[in-house]
Amino acid sequence: MQMMQQTADLSAYLGADEVIDHHHPVVREVAARLACGVADSYEYARVAFEYVRDTVPHSQDSGDPRVTWRASDVLTLGTGICYAKSHALAALLRAEDIPAALCYQKFDVVHGLVAVRFNGAWHRQDPRGNKPGVDAQFSLDGERLAFTPDPASNEMDYPVLYAAPHPVVLDALKAAPDRPYLWQTLPAAL
């Protein structure tokens, strides 16, 4: 799949905002802890991916009713759905000056993931969290995502790499008082 940056300005994929708040003390502390002892940015990116994938439970899998959307809240509260976990991973990557984009797939609902930039190319990663039937792995050599769209079922990969969360996604997260409500209002398309 050919991916397209929403903006040609690569610095946009290093920026902080209210969602990917990588200057927040919690994000900085987690990033510093993860960076301690790693050899290079590739290893850091893998460690950050595995941290979000494995230590922040997907709230639907764990039954946690809380809705998080800001990266620092995801890391503080230790919960989030795919979008929120992607925001946390993007913040941890950007905290260490690794360009990170948000990207999406369409199934029955929109699924969120991250693209990381190495060697002049974007590589999608899915920190959703593994469970039976889902085995996402960090990879710069071929994708190992949680889900593969089936075009015959009207599923697809959206090609745009966003510097900030898509407004449809962010609006759904911010409007939800809890995860059961969010589950009824997840966007079906961008």
Side-chain angles (χ1 to χ4, degrees):
M1 178 189 73
Q2 180 72 10
M3 293 181 280
M4 306 175 291
Q5 290 179 200
Q6 180 187 27
T7 176
D9 182 4
L10 195 57
S11 69
Y13 299 95
L14 292 167
D17 58 28
E18 72 166 336
V19 178
I20 303 172
D21 57 342
H22 65 77
H23 296 311
H24 190 281
V26 169
V27 177
R28 299 298 318 158
E29 185 277 322
V30 172
R33 187 166 20 98
L34 296 175
C36 187
V38 299
D40 55 32
S41 59
Y42 299 102
E43 184 180 351
Y44 173 82
R46 181 189 53 77
V47 167
F49 166 82
E50 290 174 354
Y51 178 84
V52 173
R53 182 194 65 191
D54 298 343
T55 67
V56 177
H58 188 286
S59 57
Q60 178 70 13
D61 295 349
S62 67
D64 193 322
R66 297 174 294 175
V67 174
T68 54
W69 52 269
R70 184 178 287 118
S72 57
D73 292 340
V74 174
L75 297 174
T76 299
L77 298 173
T79 191
I81 68 166
C82 60
Y83 311 132
K85 291 182 65 153
S86 293
H87 301 164
L89 178 56
L92 289 172
L93 293 169
R94 291 179 185 186
E96 291 296 313
D97 295 321
I98 300 169
L102 299 169
C103 45
Y104 303 93
Q105 296 174 308
K106 181 191 181 305
F107 298 98
D108 291 338
V109 295
V110 174
H111 174 63
L113 42 146
V114 173
V116 60
R117 189 167 177 91
F118 281 111
N119 298 327
W122 290 100
H123 306 272
R124 293 188 308 165
Q125 313 296 328
D126 193 341
R128 180 227 178 270
N130 290 339
K131 63 180 188 173
V134 176
D135 184 28
Q137 301 294 324
F138 184 82
S139 175
L140 300 180
D141 184 30
E143 294 182 336
R144 301 278 311 274
L145 305 177
F147 308 110
T148 303
D150 175 14
S153 299
N154 199 29
E155 298 173 349
M156 65 178 282
D157 289 308
Y158 287 107
V160 177
L161 299 169
Y162 295 91
H166 192 284
V168 169
V169 167
L170 192 55
D171 289 348
L173 288 168
K174 285 182 169 184
D178 58 30
R179 186 190 34 78
Y181 179 91
L182 176 62
W183 229 243
Q184 300 303 313
T185 60
L186 287 172
L190 294 183

